[in-house]
Amino acid sequence: MAPSLWPETWPTDHPDYPRRRMQRREWQSLNGIWEFAVAGGVEHPSAIPAWDRQIIVPFAPESVASGIDDRTLGADVWYRREIEYTRRENVRLLLHFGAVDYRARVWVDGRFVGQHEGGHTPFWFDITDALKKNREVHEIAVWAHDEPQGLAQPRGKQDWQDEPHSIWYPRTTGIWQTVWLEEVPSRRLSDVRLTSHLDRWTLGFEARLYGPDRGEDLRVRLRLSVGDRLLADDLYDVQEEEVHRRVALADPGIDDSRNELLWSPDSPTLIRAEVWLLDGDQVMDEIRSYTAMRGVNLQRGRMLLNNRPYPMRLVLDQGYWPDTLMTPPSEEALIRDIELTKAAGFNGVRKHQKVEDPRYLYWADVLGLLVWEEMPSAYRFTRDSVERLTREWVEVIDRDSGHPCIVVWVPFNESWGVPDLPNVEKHRSFVQSLYHLTRTLDPSRPVVGNDGWESTATDILTIHDYESDPARLLARYARTPGGGLPEALRSAFPAGRVITLDEHPHDGQPVVLSEFGGIACRTTDEPGGAWGYSVTGSSQELRATYEQLLSAVHESEMFAGFCYTQLTDTFQEANGLFTAQREPKFDIRAMHRATRGVRQHPAEVPVEAVDREPTS
């Protein structure tokens, strides 16, 4: 296990703790065995004909790890379990769900407490008043509805056909992230956010309050530290249920000293944050969080991290496991994926068509890995799909904007959900509106409006091109003596698509080859054969092809970065650098050198993760 940000005993010592950026002491995981039933047309848990199965939460019923392992369940599934809890004065009990796909309704002791729509974002209910009095054992029941063929709901890579085909995978129905209880004060901090402003060497601090208006001397204390070094310890008055402040840090003014505090994949320094809500001298609530000093911006066709050019060496990561599907099998499995990514020479991932478990983002923050976060697509364009995708994307940004590791937002991929983007104005308007909405909600990060092609609104121009001949790929994207970048973008038609729409030509944005490669190997043992965008016949041939392809990409001066497809084999798509069990397909030291564009063997390559036991 990698080192925790908080070395002393705290909820992060438990692998199920789901919300590392806003931690409280009093909580309980509800992962484990629940009763399970499949029943459509039922309005209340008491009407379920039979609770005839058991399921292991948080694994989806389509997964082997759930104990159900059934991909033909239909749209409606039910969960039920008991908890032991005794109500306490001035304490509220919150029931949290990390993610339930796609619609959820929840009852406690037979009383309906709320509902949520959106398969990738968290929600919670205050269940205190629903708990029946004079009882210590209470019942929680959950209904989840997920249309198997629902193409108007954001579903990402979940297949709408009975059997996974092409580049789509088994569905995920119902609960697939941690379920947990949290005890909170009646009057409490409801949101804590810290945002770095590198240009001013300050941190923006926001805190919001929730609960009955109690006390006239409400203040919020903020303490920031790195190791034993205290950065700030401030006290703020609460104004209209909120605190908004800028915390000025002592600026050494020289890079050597500044770098000690900056976050990057090479030096992932995190700032610990402790926040207290005070009523006079009484502590009403306590939160632990973290942040980092780091900035992302664009300049002269390059991406900058902390005001210095920083080439993106990314790998496409779809976040699936054979026996657990989209749910990580363990916290150790998340850490190992990050370690393997870095050992292979990459400094970041493009999380493809998945809003990843927030525990992954926490470890990316701690271990140092850049993340491009992408919204799972809907595939039909309807008024309903527009509303659903927009609502859920706002929740994604709200959940994850505090993670230093996230450096780019991606609301659309390859015109999925907007299939007539070049010709239909409302499709273009939708992409443009989500681009501007994302920039409004978070102006601190670049936004890729539509990753891959048919660009209409973007801060970074991205290209998907699976050309398998390195020489042709280099010739296609090499600058000419006259500086022929715009001409190359006009004349290239990867997958038969234009890179930019005519009314939105390239305007100096950085260019990133955000999908390429996808090389399969016929010797793989993965079920379903060895499908890929190109196929090699041996491990040695795969290594040679990868080295040649990466050499061409590094040689092209056009690209400010790249994203290779993909990290691991994913079901029938067996074109990963690693198998689905996370074993490298060729020597990881050679992989590291090719990824980084290193011609000489480095003195040391971080390969510790390769020697660890695989997590099934």
Side-chain angles (χ1 to χ4, degrees):
M1 177 72 72
S4 171
L5 176 63
W6 298 96
E8 64 271 32
T9 301
W10 195 257
T12 52
D13 291 339
H14 194 291
D16 285 337
Y17 193 83
R19 195 185 60 195
R20 305 295 175 83
R21 287 197 311 103
M22 192 169 172
Q23 305 168 31
R24 287 191 178 92
R25 290 183 185 274
E26 303 300 327
W27 78 287
Q28 177 187 347
S29 172
L30 297 184
N31 291 345
I33 297 176
W34 291 52
E35 294 179 274
F36 184 77
V38 178
V42 177
E43 299 294 329
H44 192 275
S46 62
I48 297 295
W51 294 92
D52 54 353
R53 303 195 224 181
Q54 290 185 328
I55 188 170
I56 300 174
V57 169
F59 303 111
E62 291 88 351
S63 71
V64 173
S66 70
I68 302 293
D69 190 18
D70 189 345
R71 300 180 184 179
T72 63
L73 295 169
D76 298 281
V77 296
W78 290 80
Y79 300 78
R80 185 174 71 174
R81 71 159 289 167
E82 292 182 340
I83 62 168
E84 293 184 7
Y85 185 75
T86 302
R87 291 184 60 171
R88 297 194 290 143
E89 187 177 357
N90 295 325
V91 173
R92 310 298 294 182
L93 185 64
L94 307 185
L95 173 61
H96 292 267
F97 295 85
V100 179
D101 202 358
Y102 171 70
R103 292 170 56 200
R105 293 176 181 167
V106 180
W107 291 261
V108 173
D109 286 343
R111 178 176 171 180
F112 179 68
V113 295
Q115 60 186 346
H116 178 264
E117 181 176 282
H120 307 89
T121 49
F123 57 97
W124 60 268
F125 304 112
D126 185 335
I127 65 172
T128 314
D129 296 333
L131 300 171
K132 286 187 176 180
K133 295 180 179 179
N134 303 318
R135 286 179 57 175
E136 294 185 358
V137 178
H138 307 276
E139 179 188 276
I140 298 172
V142 180
W143 166 81
H145 177 84
D146 188 17
E147 287 289 344
Q149 286 81 38
L151 294 178
Q153 69 185 43
R155 63 188 301 124
K157 284 298 196 81
Q158 298 180 60
D159 210 325
W160 55 91
Q161 297 187 13
D162 291 339
E163 292 296 328
H165 78 290
S166 185
I167 57 170
W168 285 275
Y169 314 128
R171 289 188 292 275
T172 294
T173 299
I175 297 171
W176 68 277
Q177 288 187 22
T178 292
V179 185
W180 54 296
L181 296 170
E182 182 184 34
E183 280 192 340
V184 298
S186 299
R187 184 70 158 156
R188 60 187 181 272
L189 295 158
S190 66
D191 193 22
V192 170
R193 294 176 184 268
L194 288 150
T195 308
S196 64
H197 300 280
L198 213 58
D199 55 337
R200 303 180 185 179
W201 208 247
T202 64
L203 286 168
F205 172 62
E206 299 178 36
R208 291 180 174 83
L209 273 58
Y210 184 90
D213 189 8
R214 201 162 58 82
E216 298 180 356
D217 189 19
L218 292 178
R219 293 174 296 167
V220 171
R221 180 185 173 190
L222 171 67
R223 188 178 190 272
L224 302 173
S225 60
V226 174
D228 296 330
R229 178 183 173 189
L230 182 64
L231 302 180
D233 194 344
D234 299 335
L235 201 60
Y236 308 115
D237 291 335
V238 175
Q239 305 263 332
E240 300 195 6
E241 306 295 290
E242 295 181 351
V243 172
H244 294 270
R245 291 290 186 272
R246 279 186 184 258
V247 183
L249 304 182
D251 184 0
I254 187 168
D255 283 352
D256 283 354
S257 295
R258 279 186 167 189
N259 290 340
E260 295 176 2
L261 199 59
L262 293 176
W263 183 96
S264 73
D266 309 303
S267 179
T269 301
L270 294 176
I271 299 171
R272 307 197 314 177
E274 298 165 274
V275 186
W276 295 269
L277 174 63
L278 306 174
D279 185 0
D281 295 329
Q282 179 185 359
V283 176
M284 303 180 68
D285 195 11
E286 178 185 1
I287 296 291
R288 286 191 173 182
S289 185
Y290 66 91
T291 188
M293 287 297 290
R294 78 102 183 88
V296 183
N297 56 337
L298 312 173
Q299 187 176 355
R300 298 184 181 182
R302 289 292 179 258
M303 297 187 66
L304 276 59
L305 181 67
N306 300 332
N307 295 324
R308 298 292 183 267
Y310 201 89
M312 300 283 110
R313 298 190 304 271
L314 312 178
V315 66
L316 194 81
D317 183 354
Q318 307 200 69
Y320 276 82
W321 289 264
D323 292 342
T324 63
L325 305 183
M326 291 203 302
T327 306
S330 65
E331 182 132 331
E332 184 71 15
L334 292 174
I335 296 169
R336 187 163 186 260
D337 271 11
I338 294 171
E339 291 177 335
L340 287 175
T341 299
K342 298 189 73 168
F346 300 99
N347 58 25
V349 294
R350 178 172 159 236
K351 276 292 177 177
H352 185 43
Q353 288 298 292
K354 184 186 181 188
V355 180
E356 190 54 88
D357 188 306
R359 293 178 300 165
Y360 179 95
L361 300 178
Y362 167 76
W363 285 111
D365 291 336
V366 170
L367 299 174
L369 191 72
L370 306 177
V371 175
W372 287 29
E373 183 147 293
E374 180 179 317
M375 180 64 198
S377 296
Y379 294 97
R380 292 185 62 204
F381 184 89
T382 66
R383 183 185 185 92
D384 192 27
S385 69
V386 168
E387 292 176 352
R388 286 175 166 184
L389 194 139
T390 302
R391 180 173 59 248
E392 196 166 349
W393 182 237
V394 170
E395 292 180 351
V396 169
I397 295 170
D398 182 66
R399 191 197 80 168
D400 291 341
S401 60
H403 284 283
C405 66
I406 295 178
V407 293
V408 175
W409 298 114
V410 185
F412 288 95
N413 173 70
E414 291 187 349
S415 307
W416 291 351
V418 282
D420 299 313
L421 190 63
N423 305 310
V424 177
E425 183 178 359
K426 61 183 179 181
H427 289 204
R428 294 194 298 275
S429 296
F430 187 28
V431 173
Q432 292 163 3
S433 67
L434 275 199
Y435 164 81
H436 288 293
L437 177 61
T438 307
R439 293 286 294 161
T440 300
L441 295 173
D442 181 12
S444 71
R445 292 176 173 93
V447 179
V448 174
N450 179 38
D451 201 313
W453 47 60
E454 298 174 347
S455 176
T456 179
T458 194
D459 297 319
I460 303 166
L461 190 60
T462 57
I463 301 171
H464 295 180
D465 193 332
Y466 285 99
E467 171 59 61
S468 59
D469 186 321
R472 283 203 295 264
L473 188 71
L474 177 58
R476 185 175 297 164
Y477 298 111
R479 290 181 186 268
T480 66
L485 175 62
E487 176 57 35
L489 300 180
R490 283 194 298 269
S491 60
F493 286 83
R497 305 293 189 109
V498 296
I499 294 176
T500 62
L501 300 186
D502 288 343
E503 64 272 29
H504 298 280
H506 178 253
D507 191 27
Q509 301 101 321
V511 180
V512 172
L513 185 62
S514 59
E515 281 191 32
F516 75 107
I519 309 165
C521 183
R522 283 197 184 94
T523 60
T524 179
D525 295 328
E526 288 300 294
W531 186 91
Y533 294 92
S534 61
V535 180
T536 57
S538 67
S539 175
Q540 293 79 8
E541 186 183 351
L542 174 61
R543 170 180 170 172
T545 306
Y546 182 76
E547 289 174 338
Q548 293 163 14
L549 202 56
L550 268 291
S551 178
V553 172
H554 282 295
E555 191 173 341
S556 172
E557 296 180 2
M558 176 183 290
F559 299 129
F562 61 80
C563 179
Y564 180 83
T565 302
Q566 64 177 320
L567 182 65
T568 69
D569 290 348
T570 309
F571 299 96
Q572 69 275 11
E573 192 176 355
N575 53 19
L577 292 170
F578 297 83
T579 68
Q581 287 73 32
R582 277 53 180 175
E583 298 297 331
K585 292 185 178 179
F586 61 90
D587 182 70
I588 200 167
R589 293 170 179 84
M591 197 183 296
H592 185 277
R593 293 196 299 273
T595 302
R596 293 178 62 89
V598 176
R599 301 198 193 294
Q600 298 295 322
H601 195 296
E604 183 178 354
V605 174
V607 293
E608 295 86 354
V610 181
D611 299 324
R612 292 164 53 176
E613 289 297 318
T615 305
S616 60

